[in-house]
Amino acid sequence: MPPSNSRFQHLSQAALSRSQFLRLAAGALLPFVGLPPSAAAAKNPELAQNGGAPGTKDAAASDRMGAILVSQFGPVKIHSYLSPLDGFHVNTQMIEGATAVVIFDGQLLLPYADEVASYVQTLGKPVDRIILSHAHTDHWSGLQVLTERFPDARVFALDGVADQLRARGQARLDSFHPIYGDRIATKVTIPTEIIAEGVQRIDGVTYDFRRFVDAESDLQLAALLPEQRVLMAFDLVFSPNEHAFTVVDHFDHWMIVLERLKVLQGYDTITIGHDTPVHRSAIDSTITYIKRAKEIHGASGDAKTYGESLKAAFSDRQHAEWVDLSARLLYAVSR
Ligand SMILES: [Zn+2]
């Protein structure tokens, strides 16, 4: 199905500022309807008014802290929940098929996971399963809420992710607890099912699951949706507007992985772990970022120098505080 048939439906906003919201909206529309941001904004005045598209039934939208983008591909809808900034702008993707919903990733903060759960319930379809993309806390802490709210949904991840969570999950939660208090999970949700690589159909949607190692994380799932021409890249690809997380010294291999993504054909839109969906050109901008980060890492003896240099090199990217977090973790393990 050509991308022009995908239809932007609704992006709601509460905690985001108006300028943030408009930027997100414009960035989101570019890949989903194939229009430049200015044209897309002009053709969707309801966005600027934050009034929602006519006909959407989303009574909770005005109270919601996160933002939701809905993209329709024939009978399939992709609902993307984007957390507010204190939740690292992390996404939960909800793929709505004919009879069920498949959820990817569970948020960092419990209140946002709760918003995801409440939104899914408005769709009126059972949650078939929850799939975790990788073992970083911002993607799984909120699974505590999702598994409580959807007790029949099985939790899947690549082989190895459950072991990573058993080994390090509780320590990660403990490190976040002083910052977030009761908004962070109290227990680790361990996936109970292994997701197989390759092509599978779930509720009428074709997924091509891919396994990647040593990129932004040690182990990362990606999923191609060939019929929707969408690549779900999670934290392999970052928005050109935001800093990437460089928490481990996998710079060289991450670039190799990105080159592999570049040669994949048949998709126009990439949904990413943080921020709204991007065009495939974001693979190149991520490579540029990682290449420079590697050079800076090689030349920096400590986290402070690394962080300051990386922020200076990409001063146009948002969320410089993410660089400080990355630098702390990168230098804690590698130096
Ligand atoms: Zn992430």
Side-chain angles (χ1 to χ4, degrees), residues 53-68:
T56 53
K57 296 175 199 163
D58 197 3
S62 59
D63 299 327
R64 188 181 297 123
M65 295 176 280
I68 289 186

Side-chain angles (χ1 to χ4, degrees), residues 87-91 105 133-134 136-139 216 220 234-235 238 245 272-274 322:
F88 293 164
H89 266 183
V90 72
N91 277 299
D105 287 350
S133 69
H134 64 295
H136 284 169
T137 317
D138 48 329
H139 298 257
E216 191 260 356
Q220 172 71 64
F234 303 99
D235 284 9
F238 278 76
F245 288 110
I272 52 180
H274 303 263
W322 293 3

Side-chain angles (χ1 to χ4, degrees), residues 7-300:
R7 187 164 64 87
F8 175 84
Q9 280 201 318
H10 188 204
L11 181 65
S12 65
Q13 175 267 358
L16 300 172
S17 71
R18 179 181 168 82
S19 62
Q20 279 178 314
F21 174 68
L22 292 175
R23 181 183 62 76
L24 289 172
L29 282 166
L30 180 60
F32 271 67
V33 299
L35 293 168
S38 56
K43 284 175 185 284
N44 290 274
E46 67 273 19
L47 262 184
Q49 296 160 10
N50 191 24
T56 53
K57 296 175 199 163
D58 197 3
S62 59
D63 299 327
R64 188 181 297 123
M65 295 176 280
I68 289 186
L69 174 70
V70 184
S71 308
Q72 181 148 12
F73 304 87
V76 176
K77 286 183 187 171
I78 299 179
H79 309 257
S80 304
Y81 175 94
L82 181 68
S83 88
L85 189 51
D86 62 349
F88 293 164
H89 266 183
V90 72
N91 277 299
T92 293
Q93 308 291 352
M94 296 154 270
I95 314 300
E96 181 187 359
T99 66
V101 180
V102 175
I103 297 177
F104 287 86
D105 287 350
Q107 292 293 314
L108 172 69
L109 299 179
L110 304 184
Y112 304 148
D114 202 51
E115 286 194 333
V116 168
S118 296
Y119 180 78
V120 169
Q121 284 179 330
T122 68
L123 303 178
K125 296 175 184 174
V127 176
D128 173 86
R129 69 191 72 191
I130 299 167
I131 299 174
L132 175 60
S133 69
H134 64 295
H136 284 169
T137 317
D138 48 329
H139 298 257
W140 61 258
S141 160
L143 292 182
Q144 178 174 322
V145 167
L146 294 182
T147 52
E148 283 167 7
R149 299 274 301 263
F150 306 109
D152 295 334
R154 295 171 295 163
V155 181
F156 287 74
L158 288 169
D159 193 10
V161 168
D163 289 341
Q164 291 179 337
L165 292 181
R166 273 187 213 100
R168 296 192 287 275
Q170 191 59 50
R172 295 256 163 86
L173 290 182
D174 293 346
S175 71
F176 276 109
H177 194 263
I179 305 165
Y180 293 111
D182 61 6
R183 300 204 298 155
I184 200 85
T186 54
K187 67 177 179 68
V188 184
T189 304
I190 307 289
T192 54
E193 313 271 344
I194 289 171
I195 193 150
E197 291 172 72
V199 176
Q200 4 179 341
R201 271 179 85 75
I202 304 170
D203 191 32
V205 180
T206 301
Y207 297 85
D208 184 356
F209 292 111
R210 307 287 178 105
R211 178 182 194 273
F212 294 97
V213 299
D214 295 349
E216 191 260 356
S217 63
D218 296 339
L219 184 53
Q220 172 71 64
L221 178 75
L224 277 162
L225 279 63
E227 287 148 8
Q228 289 72 38
R229 301 181 64 86
V230 169
L231 166 62
M232 303 176 74
F234 303 99
D235 284 9
L236 296 176
V237 176
F238 278 76
S239 164
N241 304 317
E242 298 188 343
H243 283 283
F245 288 110
T246 53
V247 300
V248 278
D249 183 4
H250 294 324
F251 300 105
D252 283 320
H253 197 260
W254 190 352
M255 287 189 277
I256 291 169
V257 167
L258 288 164
E259 293 292 346
R260 285 187 196 145
L261 292 186
K262 262 177 82 168
V263 303
L264 295 174
Q265 297 297 316
Y267 62 90
D268 314 296
T269 299
I270 307 178
T271 66
I272 52 180
H274 303 263
D275 207 356
T276 45
V278 291
H279 182 262
R280 55 188 296 156
S281 62
I283 298 174
D284 278 325
S285 59
T286 305
I287 292 172
T288 301
Y289 188 96
I290 301 310
K291 186 166 183 290
R292 190 80 187 96
K294 182 203 165 182
E295 292 165 358
I296 292 169
H297 184 235
S300 303

